[in-house]
Amino acid sequence: MTSPSPPPGRLTGIDTLRGLSAVAVLVCHIAGYWTFMSLPWKMPQLMALGAHGVDIFIVISGFVLFLPVVRAMGHLDSKQFYGRRAMRILPAYYLALAIAAVLAMGPRTWDLVVARQATLPELVLHILGIQTWFPGTLGSINGSLWSISLELHLYLVFPVLVAIWRRWGMTPLLVGSVALATVWTWSQSLGVSGPVGFGLGGIHALPSRLLQFVAGMWCATRLVSSQPLNTRHWALGMLVFGAAATLASTIQLNEVIIHLAWGGLGACLVLLMCAVRPTGQTVEISERFGERAYSFYLLHQPVLLVLGPVVALLPGWPVQLVVGGTGVFLLVTAFAALMYRYVELPTHQLGRRLFPSPSQRPAPAPGSRTGGY
């Protein structure tokens, strides 16, 4: 059991969960992109489940963004929120995009990372963060970057979600997000499409994934509620939702059901981490890795694809999987540490200075007139 409302600051375990989700995506992409490996049994299908690490990412995002708002009794400074988010997400994203674009557009390297040479218009869509609006561009430079586009869209609507919660509570958000995902998914059968391949019903778009973000928001309200967390309840929920999510994905049920199941698993994992409050040296290492998970996620796909031809020279799939996979993991981890140290951390700190919280702002001089923020 834990205290109903933990003190402000980092919650131990959430970064670990973020790091494990990033590794799960890497495992999925190893099976998907290293097609030269003849993996036996159901290993490709099992490894492919790692793709749902992104679902856990989305739940975590909703949780960590909404928790300060709940603690502040619903107050949200939109200018501060957008400023800090931009400084937190965009610098590392643009650096990773530049690296991927050089490879995907280069005449001698594009065939290592993409199916066809990327174009300038596709790069522009990625710069604007709207590649999910045009499904044909999702894998044109770095397919993993679609989730960053989704995150940017979630940030845009976050103040609206907060306003709805303040006015009507969490239930309309939960019900409305499921209804929106249902309608969005149903629209696929209509074959509605627009210019440049834009189509309704994409699983990478905000309407399809909002329910997982809202599930994370619900976790924040649950953590700050007057009732303590019960470890056994969330551990049982993790097992139930984990089995349901695996089954739903394996037999390819309706997308809404799949997103609900993985969102439920993500919510249980978040609250379980908050209830357990893990400690120890191993946890400290995993937490440090989790802090760098964003850079790890941004960089893993180009490294994986560029090293693929080298790994293919190794004898047999066990050696390719273990030695090649370990090598890629270590290399991406090293690159992620550099990006975190020299890009993420400085720009994140700059964002905090440029967009301070109200408690950090200097007090106005006596007799001065100030407006609201």
Side-chain angles (χ1 to χ4, degrees), residues 244-284:
T246 301
L247 177 62
S249 299
T250 301
I251 63 178
Q252 297 181 343
L253 291 179
N254 181 272
E255 291 170 1
V256 177
I257 297 176
I258 294 175
H259 293 335
L260 274 172
W262 287 103
L265 174 61
C268 290
L269 286 171
V270 165
L271 291 175
L272 181 61
M273 284 293 186
C274 294
V276 172
R277 303 282 186 84
T279 59
Q281 185 176 3
T282 301
V283 173
E284 291 179 6

Side-chain angles (χ1 to χ4, degrees), residues 3-5 70 219-229:
S3 59
S5 183
V70 178
C219 289
T221 63
R222 182 64 186 81
L223 182 64
V224 184
S225 70
S226 59
Q227 298 180 353
L229 300 177

Side-chain angles (χ1 to χ4, degrees), residues 95-368:
L95 177 57
L97 176 60
I99 295 171
V102 168
L103 293 171
M105 301 176 72
R108 296 185 178 181
T109 56
W110 70 265
D111 58 339
L112 292 174
V113 295
V114 289
R116 57 175 177 78
Q117 190 172 8
T119 64
L120 182 58
E122 291 168 336
L123 176 59
V124 171
L125 293 178
H126 281 73
I127 292 174
L128 297 176
I130 57 175
Q131 63 267 37
T132 52
W133 297 3
F134 305 90
T137 69
L138 287 180
S140 60
I141 294 179
N142 180 345
S144 297
L145 299 183
W146 72 266
S147 64
I148 313 304
S149 173
L150 172 63
E151 281 285 333
L152 295 176
H153 302 157
L154 289 169
Y155 297 160
L156 289 176
V157 302
F158 183 65
V160 178
L161 301 178
V162 171
I164 294 174
W165 171 74
R166 284 200 302 250
R167 179 65 177 83
W168 292 290
M170 184 55 63
T171 301
L173 280 177
L174 291 168
V175 175
S177 64
V178 174
L180 180 62
T182 302
V183 173
W184 187 260
T185 303
W186 169 78
S187 70
Q188 294 183 59
S189 62
L190 301 179
V192 178
S193 61
V196 200
F198 172 77
L200 298 178
I203 63 171
H204 303 90
L206 181 147
S208 180
R209 301 288 184 140
L210 181 63
L211 61 90
Q212 295 174 335
F213 188 82
V214 172
M217 294 175 62
W218 175 82
C219 289
T221 63
R222 182 64 186 81
L223 182 64
V224 184
S225 70
S226 59
Q227 298 180 353
L229 300 177
N230 187 302
T231 304
R232 292 183 179 180
H233 289 172
W234 300 115
L236 178 61
M238 176 191 69
L239 295 176
V240 172
F241 275 105
T246 301
L247 177 62
S249 299
T250 301
I251 63 178
Q252 297 181 343
L253 291 179
N254 181 272
E255 291 170 1
V256 177
I257 297 176
I258 294 175
H259 293 335
L260 274 172
W262 287 103
L265 174 61
C268 290
L269 286 171
V270 165
L271 291 175
L272 181 61
M273 284 293 186
C274 294
V276 172
R277 303 282 186 84
T279 59
Q281 185 176 3
T282 301
V283 173
E284 291 179 6
I285 295 173
S286 65
E287 286 287 280
R288 286 200 300 270
F289 175 79
E291 290 176 357
R292 295 151 178 80
Y294 179 52
S295 289
F296 185 97
Y297 178 83
L298 290 174
L299 297 173
H300 81 276
Q301 185 168 314
V303 175
L304 181 71
L305 291 169
V306 169
L307 291 185
V310 178
V311 176
L313 299 176
L314 298 175
W317 71 264
V319 177
Q320 293 169 344
L321 180 60
V322 176
V323 176
T326 301
V328 167
F329 171 79
L330 294 176
L331 190 58
V332 177
T333 300
F335 288 154
L338 291 173
M339 179 180 282
Y340 177 80
R341 173 66 179 84
Y342 295 106
V343 180
E344 278 197 79
L345 198 56
T347 55
H348 193 190
Q349 293 172 344
L350 177 61
R352 289 182 175 276
R353 291 196 299 269
L354 293 176
F355 304 96
S357 61
S359 60
Q360 296 173 321
R361 293 171 183 166
S368 63

Side-chain angles (χ1 to χ4, degrees), residues 88-99:
R88 179 69 180 87
I89 296 297
L90 293 180
Y93 169 71
Y94 283 140
L95 177 57
L97 176 60
I99 295 171

